[in-house]
Amino acid sequence: MTGSMYRLVYYSRNLIASDEALFASNVEEILAKSRFNNQRDEITGALLFNTGCFAQVLEGPLNKIEAAFERIQQDERHGDVSLLALDRIYQRSFPNWAMGFIGNSAIHAKRFAGVGSSSGFDPSRLSGHEIHSLLKALAIEEEAA
Ligand SMILES: Cc1cc2nc3c(=O)[nH]c(=O)nc-3n(C[C@H](O)[C@H](O)[C@H](O)COP(=O)(O)O)c2cc1C
């Protein structure tokens, strides 16, 4: 891949019902679809969720991440999709992840509490740059584990 690359960061409100089993199956479905499409489209990135929100980083060729973001915005499993950043990049932050997934395990919850509000992780309080840095740090931890 020799063309220029971009990174897109957004956050959204999670609209999936709070029933745990339903939530898990929806997330599995989103990840399977994302990994299949993103591999095809030379997109890498990471997805973070809690019961209230999603935050996602997509990196790759501009036309491909724009097309993916168009589809993602129309997805009824979330709403209030807010674009936080779209920047030219020279290196991928998630080279090995067609779509890495960072759930809300205890260690992450603890980390988010420090980054977001006192009541827990709230990506709407973070900038695109902060979300990118957070996901990158968590990805490095996951890969080392
Ligand atoms: C939070 C969230 C993140 C998603 N991330 C991606 C993604 O990274 N790549 C992707 O292709 N679809 C992603 N989707 C799914 C898209 O909304 C859409 O269902 C899918 O791209 C449709 O693909 P298809 O046209 O091949 O069926 C995501 C959906 C949600 C709710």
Side-chain angles (χ1 to χ4, degrees), residues 27-98:
V27 168
E28 281 308 309
E29 207 262 323
I30 289 169
L31 283 176
K33 171 64 81 178
S34 299
R35 286 170 179 156
F36 180 87
N37 286 348
N38 295 353
Q39 200 152 330
R40 175 196 66 200
D41 297 339
E42 296 177 277
I43 292 173
T44 51
L47 174 68
L48 171 69
F49 82 90
N50 66 17
T51 52
C53 333
F54 289 107
Q56 190 173 28
V57 176
L58 299 167
E59 51 192 24
L62 185 60
N63 61 335
K64 298 285 172 49
I65 60 173
E66 282 181 338
F69 190 53
E70 280 297 315
R71 298 194 305 270
I72 291 168
Q73 279 180 281
Q74 282 161 29
D75 199 308
E76 289 176 358
R77 292 171 287 196
H78 61 175
D80 298 335
V81 178
S82 305
L83 178 63
L84 297 177
L86 180 58
D87 299 304
R88 173 122 195 237
I89 56 169
Y90 297 91
Q91 202 181 332
R92 292 177 189 264
S93 294
F94 308 94
N96 306 320
W97 287 15

Side-chain angles (χ1 to χ4, degrees), residues 72-142:
I72 291 168
Q73 279 180 281
Q74 282 161 29
D75 199 308
E76 289 176 358
R77 292 171 287 196
H78 61 175
D80 298 335
V81 178
S82 305
L83 178 63
L84 297 177
L86 180 58
D87 299 304
R88 173 122 195 237
I89 56 169
Y90 297 91
Q91 202 181 332
R92 292 177 189 264
S93 294
F94 308 94
N96 306 320
W97 287 15
M99 188 45 61
F101 174 59
I102 297 164
N104 53 356
S105 69
I107 180 171
H108 297 148
K110 211 166 113 191
R111 172 81 74 94
F112 301 156
V115 176
S117 69
S118 58
S119 59
F121 173 60
D122 180 359
S124 68
R125 291 165 179 264
L126 301 180
S127 69
H129 181 77
E130 286 169 322
I131 287 176
H132 168 244
S133 298
L134 173 64
L135 284 169
K136 195 172 163 185
L138 292 171
I140 289 165
E141 262 177 34
E142 294 267 311

